[in-house]
Amino acid sequence: MGLLGTITETLKASTESPNRGGGTEESAGAYWCHDCDERLLDLDVEGEGPPSCPDCGDEMEFERSPGSTGCAC
């Protein structure tokens, strides 16, 4: 990759776009347990519906919609 390609990738990664980098799968957000501060990326969750927190067992809450920008924090 040349200098121009490196600069282009750097600028893409610094924007508040949910489409950063060159990954093939796109995350829509993450599941959070606010009591335990536990986070699970939506791509790491199997099945339908919110997962249970691995620490306390409570249902986790999904944060960030597919159309939003920035982090899920």
Side-chain angles (χ1 to χ4, degrees):
M1 178 183 306
L3 179 61
L4 184 58
T6 302
I7 292 172
T8 302
E9 287 299 313
T10 302
L11 291 175
K12 277 186 191 177
S14 68
T15 66
E16 290 188 13
S17 169
N19 304 318
R20 294 183 211 147
T24 57
E25 289 188 75
E26 186 175 317
S27 171
Y31 290 95
W32 289 85
C33 178
H34 297 282
D35 293 334
C36 300
D37 289 330
E38 185 72 31
R39 175 185 179 266
L40 294 175
L41 187 63
D42 66 331
L43 299 175
D44 297 334
V45 174
E46 295 180 10
E48 297 294 320
S52 298
C53 174
D55 290 339
C56 70
D58 288 346
E59 185 176 283
M60 299 178 84
E61 184 178 337
F62 184 77
E63 296 196 0
R64 189 170 94 177
S65 64
S68 69
T69 60
C71 71
C73 53

